[in-house]
Amino acid sequence: MKNLQLPGICLTLFLFCLTASAQNSIPVNEPDMKKPSLFTNLPGKIPVDISDLQSLLNTESGKDVSLKINQSATNSFNGKVVSAATKYNNIRSVVIRSSNFNGATFTLSSSIQPNGTVKFTGRIISMQHSDLYELQKQNDQYILIKKNFYDLINE
């Protein structure tokens, strides 16, 4: 009988290890395709003037700003600067919370490249809506391009 104690303990330990689970599975969030659109009345591409982007980056935190996003003065992105930062003397960033597009924020950054040119990056996004705008450079001009939320964000 002594010969069966060691194999019995090993079998018990093996069955315990087989049934034990060390990690829980992480639930995967499915995309919510029923989110409403925020920018339905705006075009797919909006040209933006570089001087307007520069003036936004020079705005202090707490100030009200306006960015013309269409040819008419009625369509503009109005909001308040909630954060403004400068880092390493060549990177500037500003976050603007919109007052006329519910829940949207405009994040804009600029960096000075080694060759002396200024590169802008940014996006207008709302986590509760299905569309957003991303700032891209095309043919030496910056354009806000409308995209689907889930083309850019994975949950």
Side-chain angles (χ1 to χ4, degrees):
M1 281 291 178
K2 284 190 171 186
N3 299 5
L4 297 179
Q5 283 181 342
L6 184 59
I9 291 172
C10 290
L11 180 63
T12 305
L13 186 59
F14 175 74
L15 291 174
F16 176 75
C17 291
L18 187 65
T19 59
S21 176
Q23 298 177 353
N24 296 331
S25 61
I26 299 171
V28 177
N29 291 336
E30 292 295 324
D32 183 9
M33 297 302 182
K34 296 178 183 176
K35 285 184 176 183
S37 295
L38 182 62
F39 305 111
T40 54
N41 60 344
L42 296 176
K45 292 184 178 183
I46 303 171
V48 181
D49 191 32
I50 293 175
S51 61
D52 290 341
L53 297 176
Q54 287 285 3
S55 67
L56 287 176
L57 286 168
N58 292 328
T59 307
E60 297 175 3
S61 185
K63 302 283 183 176
D64 291 327
V65 294
S66 179
L67 174 66
K68 191 166 104 174
I69 56 174
N70 211 349
Q71 302 299 2
S72 67
T74 58
N75 284 335
S76 61
F77 185 87
N78 301 321
K80 181 177 260 189
V81 176
V82 293
S83 173
T86 302
K87 190 115 176 169
Y88 307 120
N89 293 326
N90 66 343
I91 299 173
R92 294 189 326 207
S93 182
V94 66
V95 177
I96 302 164
R97 183 173 295 133
S98 178
S99 59
N100 59 336
F101 291 103
N102 188 24
T105 56
F106 183 22
T107 306
L108 177 66
S109 297
S110 73
S111 61
I112 300 173
Q113 303 300 306
N115 62 2
T117 61
V118 178
K119 179 182 176 186
F120 294 97
T121 57
R123 66 178 55 123
I124 302 173
I125 188 169
S126 171
M127 301 303 275
Q128 295 86 24
H129 296 90
S130 66
D131 53 353
L132 59 94
Y133 276 100
E134 185 174 33
L135 186 66
Q136 293 182 353
K137 187 174 184 178
Q138 293 180 351
N139 301 328
D140 294 331
Q141 182 179 10
Y142 282 96
I143 299 174
L144 286 167
I145 298 176
K146 190 186 288 189
K147 293 190 173 188
N148 187 351
F149 181 83
Y150 290 108
D151 290 343
L152 198 65
I153 306 294
N154 290 328
E155 289 191 87

